[in-house]
Amino acid sequence: MLRKPRAYAAILGTAMLPAKICTDAYVNFQAPLLSYIPFDDGTSHLSDIVDKSTASMIGAAVAALLLALPGRMPPLSQASPYSASKNQITSFDDNPPFKGVVVLEDLGCPDLHRNRIRRHFLDASGELLTPLSQYVVPTITASTSTENILKHIVNRLAYLDAPVDAKEVAESIEFYLRSGKRAIGAARRVLKSSDVIEDQSMVVKDLCSGHGLTGMLFAACNPPGRLKASMRVLLVDQSEPQSHSILRDLISEVCPWVNQDTVQFFEADLDDYVTKSLSDDATDEASIIISTHACGSLTDDVIRYAVESRAASVSVMPCCYTGTAKGTPFGVQRMFGVSASADIKRSFLLHDAGYHVDFAAIPKAITPMNRLIVAERRC
């Protein structure tokens, strides 16, 4: 039986559909669905007795009615308040197009992009596409778009031959663009609902951070004044790479608020940091936990820490899956593979701990280990 209010709304909605959508609906639905309707004159296709425009509208109406049938559209009560499309579950793209300013060609082997970011922007003669003499350090404000901020950062890294690969720059940018908005939104909801947090501050904790570019992009893309809360970044890894301070200083030339006061590097094993952090009862910040390619079970440690510390959000891009699917049924591993089974298990752990969990992905031209788990704490 049709859900009548939704069916009526769907029919009314077709009257306002653009012609392109109506035409698509005609092509996709009229022929296969209406070809079996018998007419008095012996015709079987709607287009045989009405003009294409009328048939398109009818086809669109039928399409809308089908979407209103039970099982084709999730009921409103199951819609996620965290997703952009609240009334419809969208499909998952495991190899999406690039969103950022660094676009890598799919060469079949991501390691072929392990060359300095400067080289990525050289032309055939070995010269920068835009001469350094023509480059002017921009003035960035709270109203500067994220795209322009990232473009200026990448330009600076390329012009001054920063010690970072094009692959790693693209990876950090794509990770931020696919998780940052939701992660920061979750932190803002925590701050809004908290009676304990007074100074409205959030901290991005980049665990197993390497040089820390991903964490620093979170700060760089949110200039003072854009958020009602302040933001600082804590990078955690066994040792601080020499490239970290160089990258921070180059980003600071474009985004002056990214400096030693707002970005700190903590040298420690993940276990040691977790033990120290959990023993500290600090509740003055909303925390955003991120981690890109924490090896094997380190990703599980990051997730457990996020749950135990009641982080506002956690976004991880796992790798090295050997042994990580332990505990999932054999049939699940056989059907979906070890990596997907491990991430499904991780998603249930987060779901049971009170998080809204989703998957995302970055382009496979960067890495075959391209799946993200993005979780936001329900307030």
Side-chain angles (χ1 to χ4, degrees):
M1 182 177 178
L2 290 175
R3 293 191 182 94
K4 292 183 179 179
R6 184 168 300 167
Y8 296 154
I11 295 171
L12 292 174
T14 61
M16 297 179 286
L17 287 174
K20 173 68 169 63
I21 297 177
C22 291
T23 303
D24 290 346
Y26 167 82
V27 172
N28 293 328
F29 290 93
Q30 184 265 335
L33 294 177
L34 302 180
S35 59
Y36 302 106
I37 299 177
F39 296 102
D40 292 339
D41 61 357
T43 60
S44 60
H45 286 268
L46 193 65
S47 56
D48 293 336
I49 61 172
V50 297
D51 60 85
K52 185 172 181 179
S53 176
T54 304
S56 297
M57 291 300 295
I58 297 174
V62 172
L65 285 170
L66 287 173
L67 291 175
L69 289 171
R72 291 299 303 269
M73 175 179 277
L76 293 175
S77 60
Q78 294 181 9
S80 163
Y82 303 97
S83 61
S85 181
K86 295 184 180 181
N87 296 335
Q88 186 173 352
I89 296 176
T90 56
S91 61
F92 176 75
D93 188 351
D94 67 348
N95 187 23
F98 281 84
K99 284 187 173 184
V101 296
V102 179
V103 178
L104 306 181
E105 183 182 354
D106 192 348
L107 301 176
C109 178
D111 283 342
L112 294 177
H113 293 295
R114 284 199 174 278
N115 48 62
R116 296 276 274 256
I117 186 65
R118 178 185 175 89
R119 185 178 175 186
H120 182 75
F121 286 94
L122 295 178
D123 62 16
S125 66
E127 296 294 329
L128 281 169
L129 300 179
T130 303
L132 183 59
S133 59
Q134 297 180 17
Y135 176 73
V136 178
V137 177
T139 300
I140 293 178
T141 66
S143 61
T144 305
S145 69
T146 298
E147 180 182 2
N148 282 333
I149 292 175
L150 291 171
K151 189 180 299 183
H152 292 313
I153 290 173
V154 170
N155 284 342
R156 199 65 180 162
L157 297 180
Y159 289 146
L160 299 183
D161 198 15
V164 62
D165 296 342
K167 173 185 180 297
E168 294 174 355
V169 175
E171 183 174 276
S172 293
I173 290 174
E174 296 297 324
F175 184 97
Y176 173 75
L177 292 177
R178 285 167 167 79
S179 66
K181 186 174 182 179
R182 286 190 279 185
I184 292 170
R188 294 177 75 170
R189 288 192 295 272
V190 169
L191 291 173
K192 186 176 180 180
S193 63
S194 175
D195 296 327
V196 179
I197 303 173
E198 297 179 355
D199 62 352
Q200 295 293 288
S201 62
M202 58 182 73
V203 57
V204 177
K205 298 181 179 181
D206 189 352
L207 307 181
C208 305
S209 64
H211 45 56
L213 179 60
T214 308
M216 289 189 285
L217 288 184
F218 272 75
C221 292
N222 292 280
R226 177 171 293 186
L227 304 175
K228 292 183 179 180
S230 61
M231 178 185 288
R232 69 184 184 91
V233 177
L234 180 63
L235 310 173
V236 179
D237 214 326
Q238 290 179 322
S239 60
E240 178 182 328
Q242 292 182 346
S243 58
H244 163 66
S245 59
I246 299 173
L247 293 175
R248 185 196 61 216
D249 292 344
L250 290 177
I251 294 174
S252 182
E253 293 174 9
V254 178
C255 307
W257 58 93
V258 180
N259 51 49
Q260 289 181 317
D261 294 329
T262 56
V263 178
Q264 298 174 321
F265 204 107
F266 190 84
E267 292 185 316
D269 289 335
L270 183 59
D271 286 344
D272 294 339
Y273 171 75
V274 167
T275 300
K276 180 181 184 304
S277 177
L278 292 177
S279 64
D280 184 359
D281 293 328
T283 56
D284 60 341
E285 294 174 307
S287 59
I288 297 170
I289 308 296
I290 64 172
S291 184
T292 56
H293 289 165
C295 217
S297 62
L298 287 176
T299 292
D300 297 293
D301 295 338
V302 170
I303 291 174
R304 279 192 292 269
Y305 168 67
V307 170
E308 292 176 17
S309 63
R310 289 184 54 76
S313 70
V314 53
S315 302
V316 297
M317 186 160 60
C319 73
C320 305
Y321 283 93
T322 302
T324 56
K326 203 172 291 183
T328 57
F330 170 76
V332 173
Q333 295 187 43
R334 191 166 66 88
M335 183 172 183
F336 296 105
V338 171
S339 62
S341 299
D343 288 343
I344 290 170
K345 180 183 74 171
R346 290 160 172 162
S347 71
F348 273 102
L349 187 153
L350 287 162
H351 176 82
D352 292 343
Y355 286 81
H356 169 79
V357 189
D358 196 8
F359 289 106
I362 67 173
K364 288 184 177 179
I366 301 173
T367 173
M369 303 290 185
N370 67 329
R371 185 166 51 242
L372 280 72
I373 304 172
V374 182
E376 307 153 70
R377 197 175 91 205
R378 298 188 181 94
C379 295

